[in-house]
Amino acid sequence: MRGPLTTQNQNCYRQLIEKEAYTRLAWKIKYGQEYPSRIAATFRAKKEPGLPKLPAAETILPPIVKREVQAVPEPKLDLKLKAPLMRPVTPKTRETLYDGISTEGKGRALYMRQRLGKGPEEKFDHPQLSSWEYGWKLDYGIDYRSPVSGRSGIVRSTFYARN
């Protein structure tokens, strides 16, 4: 089985079957006289002359109902009022984008390296994802040193091999 049979999959499958049935029925109505089916031909051959003729069954399709969906007008928002997701790039960084080509380490490659060097706090005004909130604007101790009385130096020098 490819995947779970959800309600959406069932509805899709039902619509496909209905569409195929309507297409076959429309074709039969349009071209049925020109191309009689084999079943109808065998019934005609086996008819006895004394039997009364039954009226031909007319297939009537339900009328096509065109539903007009009234579109809800979207409120016209001024694009200038929307807050941008990202802070604008500095002109100096923008100039690197158009200077040189990526294969030489300039242009887009240099621009992307400069943008990668910045943290999300510098690129965005507020967190875009809920997972960003955990570390948002945390001050990390850049000058981290091992404690003088701790065991980390001993473990590092005795346990780990140099190569």
Side-chain angles (χ1 to χ4, degrees), residues 87-147:
R87 289 182 183 162
V89 182
T90 61
K92 182 180 176 185
T93 308
R94 188 180 298 273
E95 286 176 13
T96 61
L97 183 61
Y98 302 110
D99 182 35
I101 56 175
S102 295
T103 55
E104 297 173 353
K106 297 179 181 177
R108 182 173 177 263
L110 180 62
Y111 170 81
M112 295 303 283
R113 270 184 295 188
Q114 287 178 352
R115 292 295 287 173
L116 185 64
K118 291 185 176 184
E121 295 91 1
E122 298 171 359
K123 291 190 248 183
F124 297 93
D125 290 324
H126 51 85
Q128 299 295 315
L129 306 172
S130 62
S131 60
W132 288 13
E133 293 174 4
Y134 294 108
W136 194 257
K137 294 193 178 178
L138 260 174
D139 292 327
Y140 299 104
I142 296 171
D143 193 23
Y144 177 77
R145 294 183 190 167
S146 298

Side-chain angles (χ1 to χ4, degrees), residues 36-47:
S37 66
R38 284 192 228 159
I39 298 170
T42 56
F43 282 134
R44 283 190 204 121
K46 292 182 180 179
K47 275 188 181 178

